[in-house]
């Protein structure tokens, strides 16, 4: 039984009953160099639910007879393709071998748990809607027979298609509503299959926002219908290294079916070198003395044509990406080119900006925000925008990313009354030797000085994997299971912080991801039982 449900991830939470809550299954990861840590009482659960109560009452679960069905009382049924799609996915996750063998070749037992009934209590299940910031991800399953597979190796379950389960109660909901992952498809083009695979892994780790940093200085792979020359001139290749409208639509739908929002980022006025290749006069000409140098800087903020272009471009973006928010960037603007340009200097004097080029940046950003507001979209911005004093709408989401003293930044931003998300301690592109997942796991997002009202404005965070040194060959193993640590920090209760217990669960969760086709890197020495294929 669930409370009113408006997104698939709530269903995913409900399916803790049969997937995530395979808690005591032994995934066989054996540590051979470090002292073996004790098994967690929660087995391989990741991220840990808010409340788990296990009993010793045991039943049988058979891959032959078990099925996931709609409860008679449920407001959703066979017509809800979102749920039916999820039933099929999770059935394959639970019984990857027995389903291929055929259900009629094995005998079911009288004591089998034969089905999981999914009961959606909301009058409107919103099966066809997109996930949103207000989606309900809570789940309460009192007295249900959750699938805790006791003491059985995964080889036993898959070869015999049957195992013991325990009666368990779970109450679950996320601590933070925004649990995001940023991927960068500009510095290296990410094939669609790589994005889809990581959306799948995001769902397993209860991330609910895909922050798609789709374009940047190096390349412009987004194929715009309004301005096709942007990708024709700005992508690494105009045919092979672009995301067509149908590609984008497919990615958004794939994410929707897994309860994941897709928030696109089109960062300006900096980080726009690739934009200028296909849009004449968009970027500022840089000068060397009295003559143009031939290079270009940020977006030219003094031309009306700039804002005409932005109005048309973001009108298109607002229709392509259905989420209520667009990330507008606004970070790392290099003023040196603006300072060199005589036309910019003249404009600065006319506006009374003096030599404070942050005022020119604010001039541009405020006009851009007005443009985006006309599309009825909310916006997210990097922290520099508020640091530079730009006037923002009250519903702006500020993204804190600078690593130095991020607690002070959180205090300042929330004191100003803005909704905030945190990424500063979770830049996964910084790699180091050893188990750096613990560093990410130990972060407390609300450790800053502030009132309870301020801390409620921190709605979550994002793990970021920037693409300077990452492409399709190494993105996934670099991301997982390190991002899993961020996933639990953003989902589970603040008191869930025992790294020994987390290590015990995470090594098994990592094996589960590998078994499902995600090449997550190992935490330390050892092996996964499925590597031996039952031998």
């Amino acid at each position: 039984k669930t409370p009113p449900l408006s997104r698939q991830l709530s269903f995913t939470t409900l399916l803790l009953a049969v997937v995530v809550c395979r808690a005591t299954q032994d995934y066989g990861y054996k540590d051979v160099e470090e002292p073996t840590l004790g098994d967690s009482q929660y087995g391989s659960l990741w991220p840990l639910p808010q409340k788990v109560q296990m009993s010793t009452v045991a039943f049988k679960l058979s891959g032959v007879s078990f099925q996931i069905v709609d409860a008679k009382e449920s407001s959703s049924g066979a017509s809800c393709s979102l749920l039916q799609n999820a039933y099929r996915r999770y059935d394959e996750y639970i019984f990857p071998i027995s389903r291929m063998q055929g259900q009629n070749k094995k005998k079911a037992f009288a004591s089998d748990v034969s089905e999981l009934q999914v009961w959606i209590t909301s009058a409107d299940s919103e099966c066809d809607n997109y996930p949103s910031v207000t989606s309900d991800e809570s789940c309460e399953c009192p007295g249900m027979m959750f699938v805790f597979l006791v003491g059985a190796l995964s080889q036993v379950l898959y070869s015999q298609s049957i195992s013991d389960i325990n009666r368990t109660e779970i109450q679950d909901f996320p601590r933070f509503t925004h649990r995001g992952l940023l991927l960068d498809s500009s510095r290296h083009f990410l094939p669609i299959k790589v994005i889809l695979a990581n959306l799948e892994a995001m769902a397993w780790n209860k991330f609910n926002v895909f922050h798609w940093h789709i374009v940047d200085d190096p390349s412009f792979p987004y194929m715009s219908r309004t301005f096709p020359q942007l990708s024709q001139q700005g992508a690494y290749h105009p045919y092979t290294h672009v995301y067509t409208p149908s590609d984008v639509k497919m990615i958004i739908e794939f994410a929707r079916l897994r309860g994941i929002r897709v928030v696109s980022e089109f960062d300006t006025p900096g980080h726009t070198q690739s934009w200028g290749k296909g849009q004449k006069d968009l970027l500022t000409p840089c000068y060397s003395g009295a003559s143009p140098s031939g290079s270009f800087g940020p977006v030219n903020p003094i031309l009306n044509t700039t804002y005409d272009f932005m109005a048309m471009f973001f009108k298109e973006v607002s229709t392509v990406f259905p989420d209520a928010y667009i990330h507008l960037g606004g970070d790392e603007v290099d003023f040196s080119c603006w300072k060199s340009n005589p036309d910019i200097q003249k404009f600065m004097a006319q506006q009374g900006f003096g030599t404070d080029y942050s005022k020119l940046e604010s001039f541009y950003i405020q006009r851009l925000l007005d443009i985006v507001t006309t599309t009825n979209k909310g916006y997210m911005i990097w922290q520099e925008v508020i640091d530079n004093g730009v006037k923002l709408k009250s519903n702006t989401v500020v993204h804190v990313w600078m690593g130095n003293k991020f607690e002070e930044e959180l205090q300042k931003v929330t004191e100003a009354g803005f909704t905030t998300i945190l990424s500063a301690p979770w830049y996964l592109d910084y790699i180091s030797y050893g188990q750096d997942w613990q560093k990410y796991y130990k972060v407390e997002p609300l450790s800053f000085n502030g009132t309870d009202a301020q801390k409620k404005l921190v709605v979550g965070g994002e793990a970021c994997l920037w693409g300077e040194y990452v492409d399709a060959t190494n993105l996934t193993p670099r991301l997982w299971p390190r991002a899993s640590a961020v996933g639990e920090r953003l989902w589970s209760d603040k008191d869930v912080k025992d790294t020994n217990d987390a290590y015990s669960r995470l090594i098994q969760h990592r094996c589960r991801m590998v078994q499902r086709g995600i090449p997550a890197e190992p935490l330390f020495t050892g092996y996964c039982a499925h590597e031996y294929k039952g031998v």
Side-chain angles (χ1 to χ4, degrees), residues 29 434-437 477 480-482 503 506-507 510-511 514 519-528 531:
Y29 196 107
Q435 298 191 42
D436 62 353
W437 69 270
W480 307 104
R482 297 160 76 230
Y503 178 75
L506 187 54
I507 55 176
R510 177 259 169 181
C511 284
V514 172
E521 68 180 16
L523 278 76
F524 193 58
T525 55
Y527 68 94
C528 298
E531 297 171 12

Side-chain angles (χ1 to χ4, degrees), residues 405-459:
K405 301 180 180 179
F406 69 82
E407 294 91 349
E408 293 181 11
E409 186 73 15
L410 288 173
Q411 181 182 1
K412 182 181 76 172
V413 173
T414 56
E415 193 171 39
F418 291 108
T419 300
T420 311
I421 56 177
L422 175 66
S423 283
W426 295 316
Y427 267 42
L428 304 187
D429 43 301
Y430 290 110
I431 59 175
S432 60
Y433 186 79
Q435 298 191 42
D436 62 353
W437 69 270
Q438 296 185 30
K439 174 177 64 177
Y440 308 130
Y441 190 79
K442 292 176 181 178
V443 172
E444 171 45 54
L446 303 185
S447 62
F448 64 96
N449 293 324
T451 65
D452 290 343
Q454 283 179 252
K455 295 187 177 184
K456 287 180 181 178
L457 290 172
V458 180
V459 296

Side-chain angles (χ1 to χ4, degrees), residues 113-131:
V113 175
S114 60
E115 64 183 27
L116 169 68
Q117 294 187 7
V118 179
W119 183 3
I120 308 300
T121 61
S122 172
D124 180 7
S125 61
E126 302 183 21
C127 279
D128 297 323
N129 288 11
Y130 290 97

Side-chain angles (χ1 to χ4, degrees), residues 180-434:
L181 180 64
L182 179 150
L183 296 182
D184 171 7
S185 61
S186 171
R187 291 172 174 86
H188 286 95
F189 180 80
L190 300 178
I192 294 172
K193 65 179 181 180
V194 173
I195 294 177
L196 299 184
N198 281 281
L199 285 169
E200 194 78 73
M202 285 174 64
W204 300 338
N205 290 272
K206 291 202 167 95
F207 284 95
N208 66 348
V209 179
F210 170 35
H211 178 167
W212 193 355
H213 189 88
I214 191 167
V215 300
D216 206 298
D217 281 330
S219 74
F220 196 104
Y222 171 74
M223 183 181 288
S224 167
R225 291 186 185 274
T226 311
F227 301 99
Q229 71 275 13
L230 290 172
S231 60
Q232 287 173 3
Q233 301 297 322
Y236 286 133
H237 190 282
Y239 304 119
T240 61
H241 284 54
V242 293
Y243 302 107
T244 67
S246 60
D247 293 338
V248 173
K249 185 176 181 180
M250 178 177 64
I251 288 169
I252 291 172
E253 177 63 9
F254 190 92
R256 183 187 77 87
L257 292 173
R258 288 152 183 80
I260 298 172
R261 299 164 52 202
V262 178
V263 176
S264 61
E265 181 183 354
F266 292 90
D267 188 358
T268 67
H271 293 276
T272 49
Q273 290 297 300
S274 65
W275 300 52
K277 295 177 181 179
Q279 187 64 23
K280 185 180 178 182
D281 297 329
L282 180 64
L283 303 185
T284 304
C286 304
Y287 276 66
S288 177
S291 303
S293 66
S295 61
F296 294 88
V299 165
N300 193 330
I302 70 172
L303 299 181
N304 289 330
T305 53
T306 292
Y307 302 102
D308 294 339
F309 165 80
M310 292 297 175
M312 295 177 66
F313 180 75
F314 279 102
K315 181 179 179 181
E316 174 191 319
V317 168
S318 69
T319 61
V320 171
F321 293 90
D323 197 78
Y325 284 84
I326 299 174
H327 203 301
L328 299 177
D331 63 316
E332 297 182 320
V333 181
D334 184 356
F335 296 153
S336 59
C337 184
W338 283 350
K339 291 178 180 179
S340 74
N341 185 293
D343 294 328
I344 297 285
Q345 295 168 8
K346 182 178 178 181
F347 183 85
M348 292 281 288
Q350 291 172 346
Q351 296 293 322
F353 292 163
T355 58
D356 186 354
Y357 284 84
S358 66
K359 290 182 179 179
L360 182 61
E361 179 189 9
S362 297
F363 174 86
Y364 167 80
I365 292 290
Q366 286 173 351
R367 290 197 61 175
L368 179 64
L369 298 185
D370 290 341
I371 288 171
V372 174
T373 299
T374 65
T375 68
N376 295 317
K377 293 285 190 180
Y379 46 78
M380 302 180 185
I381 46 89
W382 295 109
Q383 70 180 72
E384 288 101 316
V385 177
I386 190 172
D387 291 344
N388 290 338
V390 177
K391 294 179 181 178
L392 300 172
K393 288 172 56 180
S394 60
N395 65 343
T396 300
V397 178
V398 179
H399 198 162
V400 174
W401 72 276
M402 291 184 172
N404 294 332
K405 301 180 180 179
F406 69 82
E407 294 91 349
E408 293 181 11
E409 186 73 15
L410 288 173
Q411 181 182 1
K412 182 181 76 172
V413 173
T414 56
E415 193 171 39
F418 291 108
T419 300
T420 311
I421 56 177
L422 175 66
S423 283
W426 295 316
Y427 267 42
L428 304 187
D429 43 301
Y430 290 110
I431 59 175
S432 60
Y433 186 79

